[in-house]
Amino acid sequence: MRVLIFYASYGGGHLSAANAIKQYIDANYSDFDVRIVDCMKYINTGIEKITTDSYKIMAEKVPWAWGRIYKRSGKGPIAHLSKLSSKVLSLKLYKLFEEFSPDIVISTHPFSSQMTTILKKQEKTNCKLATVLTDFAPHNQWLFDSQFVDFFFVAHDGMKKDLALKGISDNKIFVTGIPLSTKFLQHFDKNSLKKSFDLDLSKRVILFFGGGAFGLGEEHTSSILEAFIDNIGNSYEIIVISGKNTKMQERFDKIVLDTHSSDRVKVYGYTNKIPELMAISDLVVTKPGGLTSTESLASGLPMVVINPIPGQEEENAVFLEKAGVALWLRKKENVNEAISELLSNERELHHMKTRSRLMAKKNSTADICKVIFG
């Protein structure tokens, strides 16, 4: 069987979801030819670079503008323009369909879903199409020509109800959760891991993802880290992940130096040890991307949500906060007061952890593959 998995490089979550599915297929199914493709880069590297750079610049410099485009792209002129663009770009993508002739297409981005439905509508392919929504709220961009989509995979029951209200047949919608790497199913020796990161075994751990400068920006992220340092006392240690953002890593290092907190705060750059770090943590501070939020839930971690990009991430933040698994630190809030109140409320932290575990769909990737391949 030939399987084509599409993603697009607008944020890392789409690729992570695509990789999780490919890895699971490779490990559990034989005689499958699986190809994973960045749909925009395949069509034209120039277009891909311009559009991804534009997304990054808007998300960082003018997030309100991105939020406005996101809200308006579900219907009206922007939606019409998007569909027209997909129709034109699908002509380029068709070359891949001719060469590979997929039996199944799995799409983790709305653009590739749209282009595949166009090709199906034109009878240029008779493949099955599975659309995997990678956030906690649906958007109409995922639903264009939905009659040509065979499977919709969503994060929770509320999304299934939303899709059904938009006319999607109930037997096409599956509440599996967002695809998750099997690494999050592993059992780790927490004491050994803590020792490897030079952590105090008697203290709890806060995992702070601060590499992104999108949304509310560097100043807000820095003030949140400082507030955590002020409030952890002798109960917690903080692991700060700056990712590939060297500017933020330098800023975090200075905060640690200025607050004389090197015994309680450790700053790291890029790491591939996220499952391990989440396994030893008790609380995570993060932007509410679909994949990171899914990983946090799978690890049973209460979340403190910071810097959501207007649009899909704000919708994720609303859902997570309403579900009682996250505290959303908004720009105008008294950050120090909110963090102090949270860390001192042991009962609420316990309830948040319990709700996270109950919400988690740790077998999401396996469940998606079972539906598609039987």
Side-chain angles (χ1 to χ4, degrees), residues 290-302:
L291 264 293
T292 304
S293 300
T294 296
E295 292 166 354
S296 300
L297 291 173
S299 303
L301 293 178

Side-chain angles (χ1 to χ4, degrees), residues 302-336:
M303 285 176 256
V304 174
V305 169
I306 63 173
N307 300 347
I309 299 170
Q312 64 271 42
E313 287 193 352
E314 280 193 353
E315 290 178 343
N316 291 346
V318 169
F319 170 77
L320 294 166
E321 187 173 57
K322 189 175 180 180
V325 298
L327 168 68
W328 179 4
L329 286 180
R330 293 167 173 83
K331 187 176 183 180
K332 294 181 180 179
E333 283 189 79
N334 184 319
V335 170
N336 206 297

Side-chain angles (χ1 to χ4, degrees), residues 8 36 73 93 99-100 162 176 180 233 238 250 271 285 288 290 308 359:
I36 185 168
S73 63
L93 198 65
E99 291 173 354
F100 189 61
D162 289 340
T176 55
L180 187 70
I238 304 174
E250 291 170 3
T271 176
V285 184
M359 278 183 61

Side-chain angles (χ1 to χ4, degrees), residues 60 208-214 216-225 240-256 267-269 306-307:
E60 181 177 357
F208 190 105
F209 290 108
F214 293 165
L216 301 176
E218 298 173 10
E219 292 295 334
H220 189 65
T221 303
S222 299
S223 68
I224 291 170
L225 177 58
V240 183
I241 305 297
S242 60
K244 297 178 181 178
N245 192 330
T246 54
K247 185 178 179 182
M248 286 304 292
Q249 183 167 357
E250 291 170 3
R251 188 164 189 150
F252 294 146
D253 285 334
K254 186 175 187 307
I255 290 171
V256 173
V267 180
Y268 294 92
I306 63 173
N307 300 347

